[in-house]
Amino acid sequence: MLTRYIGRLHPLKADVVKRGAHKCTSILDTASSEAIGKPAKVQGWVRALRKMKDNVFVDISDGSTCEMLQVVMPKAIKPDELRYGSSVRVKGELTSAPNGKMELRATEVRVIGACNVSEDGYPFAPRKKYDPDYIRQYLHLRPRTRGFSSLLRLRDLASAVIGDYLRDRGFVSVHTPMLTSNDCEGAGEVFVVRPQSKEVVESMRKEGQTEDEIYFDTAAFLTVSGQLHLEAVARALTKVYTFGPTFRAENSKSRLHLSEFYMLEAELAFLTSIEDLMEEVELLVKRVTERMIEKGASDLRAIGALDPQWLNKTFACLTYEDALNVLNDNASQLQRPLKYGEAFTKEHELFLVQHNDGVPVFVVNWPKEIKPFYMKECADDASKVAALDLLVPGVGELVGGSMREDDYEKLELKLPPTGNLSWYLDLRKYGNVPTGGYGMGFDRFLQCVLGIGNIKDTVPFPRWPHNCNL
C-alpha cells in the first residue's frame, strides 16, 4: 500500500513545480548571491520610501527576516497610492547594489492595500521610535514594528530549539490538558471553568452540585501546571516534557507576571538526586541560549540584545540557609529583611544574582512549609524539601523544580484536603520509581536572554489583570 502511494508522488512533484513558478520569493530567499540577475516577484509592506531625481527607492519587509529588500523603480511606474505602510507586490530583476546588498530593479509595482498614515490614523509614523508602553496600546498592529517582528521570530526560534534539544536528549513531548480538576500548586490562584450557556447549565444540573461542578461533576480550572500529569506519563516513558500555556489568577500587573503564560515542564523517572536535576536545568538553559545566538543573530542585533556573559560560567549553588545568610549580611542594601521560613521577594532574588557577579544561582533545600505538597523531604532533614529555584539576571526566578515525594505513606499525609488525587497516590503503588522535574517560564526566559524589561513585550497578545484585549 505505502509503495503504491509513494509511486504516485512523482507526477505530482512536477505539477507542484509548475504551479510554484508563479509564486512570490520571500525576502529571506533573495539574499542568496545565486539570485543575482534572475527575475523575481516579491510581496510585503513598505517600511521606507525615498524619492530621488529619476527613481523611487522603497524598502520592503515581508516578515521572513529582519532585513529589508530595497526596490528601485522608475518614477513612471510608481503607483499614486504607494505610501509607507501599504502592502505591495513587485516584479523585477535582482541585482547587487553598490553597498553589496541585494536590490530589486522593478518593472511592475502593484499596491495591494493602501495605508494613509496621516488620514487613516495609523499609529506608527515612518522613521520614528516609540516607547514600548505606547506600542502596547496597539496589540493588533504591534507585530508590524521592526523590533516586535524580530521578537516574534526569536520566540519561534526558541520554541523550535527547545523541542530539538529535548528530543535529542530522549525526551518525549506530551500534550497535558489545559482543563483540569487539580490545583497543582495549591495556592488557589486558578481560573474556574464553567459553561456560559444557561440552557446547558440547567440541562446538566444535579441535586447538591455547586455552579462550578455542573458540567464536569467536579470543579474545573485552567491549568497552572502540567506536572502531575507528566509524572503519570514519566512512569511509562521515563523522560517527558510539555510546552504550552498555563494560567494564574494573580492580581499582579508587574513587569514579570502574566495571567496567561507559556511553561516548559519536564519530568524524569529514575532520577535520584537534586544535583542531577540541577545539571539538567543548567544544560537546558545554556544550550538553548547558545543555539538561539547561533541561529538568530540578525534578529538579536535588530532588538539590541547583548550576549549573556554567564554562558561559559558554572551556575552557583546555595542552600536556602546560605542564601538567607547572604541576604541578612547585606540587609542594609535591601528594602525588606527576611526571616527564616519566608519566601524570597523579587528584590532578594535579584540581589543574590548580583552578589554572584551576574551569574545564575541555584537555591536548594527549602523549608517544607513554603513549598508544595509533592516535593520530597531531604534525606538528612525532614523539615526541608529537595527543591531548587534557578535565579537569573533581570527576572529573578526562572526555573522551579524538585525531587518528587515517592513514599506512599508520606505523600498520603501531605495531600491537600480538596481535590481528588487518589490517582496521584496510585502512581506510587504500581512499579513506583523516584522522579524529579522542573518548570521554566518561557516568557521569562526570553526576558532574560533578550534583555526585555517587561514580560508583556515577549508575548503576541498578553493578558494581565483588567486587560484581555482582542
Side-chain angles (χ1 to χ4, degrees), residues 21-91:
H22 302 286
K23 293 183 179 179
C24 290
T25 303
S26 72
I27 290 176
L28 179 63
D29 290 338
T30 64
S32 171
S33 59
E34 297 177 358
I36 295 176
K38 294 182 179 179
K41 179 167 64 173
V42 300
Q43 55 193 11
W45 293 267
V46 175
R47 299 305 185 204
L49 190 148
R50 303 173 298 281
K51 298 178 182 178
M52 306 299 282
K53 183 177 180 182
D54 299 317
N55 295 316
V56 177
F57 295 83
V58 180
D59 292 335
I60 294 177
S61 168
D62 69 355
S64 62
T65 172
C66 67
E67 302 296 334
M68 291 179 281
L69 177 66
Q70 179 172 273
V71 174
V72 184
M73 67 185 74
K75 283 187 175 181
I77 68 170
K78 173 189 170 296
D80 292 338
E81 63 271 34
L82 183 70
R83 295 184 180 90
Y84 169 79
S86 59
S87 55
V88 296
R89 182 176 294 125
V90 183
K91 292 182 181 180

Side-chain angles (χ1 to χ4, degrees), residues 149-262:
S149 61
S150 283
L151 179 279
L152 290 177
R153 282 187 295 271
L154 289 166
R155 186 181 177 96
D156 169 68
L157 173 61
S159 300
V161 165
I162 285 172
D164 291 342
Y165 169 80
L166 290 172
R167 198 170 296 110
D168 289 344
R169 288 186 61 78
F171 283 81
V172 178
S173 173
V174 176
H175 294 154
T176 54
M178 280 191 283
L179 297 179
T180 178
S181 58
N182 301 311
D183 177 6
C184 178
E185 299 301 316
E189 297 161 345
V190 292
F191 290 99
V192 176
V193 177
R194 62 168 69 97
Q196 184 181 36
S197 168
K198 292 181 180 179
E199 290 78 10
V200 170
V201 169
E202 288 304 317
S203 69
M204 300 183 71
R205 185 182 295 277
K206 295 181 180 179
E207 185 176 349
Q209 284 186 321
T210 67
E211 287 290 311
D212 296 340
E213 296 171 341
I214 285 172
Y215 191 87
F216 292 107
D217 293 339
T218 183
F221 316 105
L222 292 178
T223 184
V224 298
S225 171
Q227 176 206 315
L228 302 189
H229 299 97
L230 282 181
E231 285 193 51
V233 184
R235 285 171 167 81
L237 302 182
T238 302
K239 298 168 74 172
V240 293
Y241 77 97
T242 189
F243 188 15
T246 52
F247 307 85
R248 298 280 172 91
E250 292 179 286
N251 186 18
S252 175
K253 302 177 186 177
S254 84
R255 68 179 188 88
L256 294 165
H257 291 88
L258 291 169
S259 300
E260 177 186 3
F261 55 98
Y262 271 69

Side-chain angles (χ1 to χ4, degrees), residues 235 408 411 415 420-432:
R235 285 171 167 81
Y408 184 99
L411 183 60
L415 285 182
N420 179 15
L421 287 172
S422 60
W423 66 270
Y424 189 65
L425 274 175
D426 278 351
L427 300 178
R428 276 71 177 168
K429 288 172 63 176
Y430 311 115
N432 190 32

Side-chain angles (χ1 to χ4, degrees), residues 264-277:
L264 167 67
E265 298 179 88
E267 198 73 20
L268 299 91
F270 305 99
L271 194 72
T272 57
S273 75
I274 195 73
E275 290 78 15
D276 289 342
L277 186 60

Side-chain angles (χ1 to χ4, degrees), residues 264-383:
L264 167 67
E265 298 179 88
E267 198 73 20
L268 299 91
F270 305 99
L271 194 72
T272 57
S273 75
I274 195 73
E275 290 78 15
D276 289 342
L277 186 60
M278 284 193 292
E279 183 178 349
E280 284 287 338
V281 172
E282 184 167 348
L283 277 173
L284 169 85
V285 172
K286 287 183 174 179
R287 296 299 173 263
V288 171
T289 302
E290 287 171 355
R291 293 182 188 180
M292 281 187 66
I293 292 172
E294 291 169 4
K295 298 182 178 183
S298 58
D299 280 312
L300 289 167
R301 287 194 297 269
I303 66 173
L306 301 175
D307 286 347
Q309 300 301 305
W310 41 263
L311 263 182
N312 296 319
K313 298 180 180 179
T314 302
F315 293 177
C317 179
L318 298 173
T319 65
Y320 173 87
E321 291 182 350
D322 289 339
L324 183 65
N325 290 335
V326 170
L327 294 171
N328 288 337
D329 289 345
N330 294 274
S332 62
Q333 301 180 51
L334 301 170
Q335 294 182 359
R336 179 180 175 274
L338 193 70
K339 297 179 182 178
Y340 184 87
E342 293 181 333
F344 296 160
T345 66
K346 195 57 58 183
E347 178 193 21
H348 300 140
E349 294 172 352
L350 293 174
F351 181 86
L352 289 169
V353 178
Q354 181 184 358
H355 188 264
N356 195 45
D357 298 326
V359 178
V361 180
F362 284 106
V363 179
V364 300
N365 297 350
W366 289 72
K368 181 166 59 176
E369 289 73 16
I370 59 175
K371 288 297 183 179
F373 72 93
Y374 52 76
M375 295 187 174
K376 186 176 180 62
E377 294 176 0
C378 292
D380 58 349
D381 188 344
S383 69

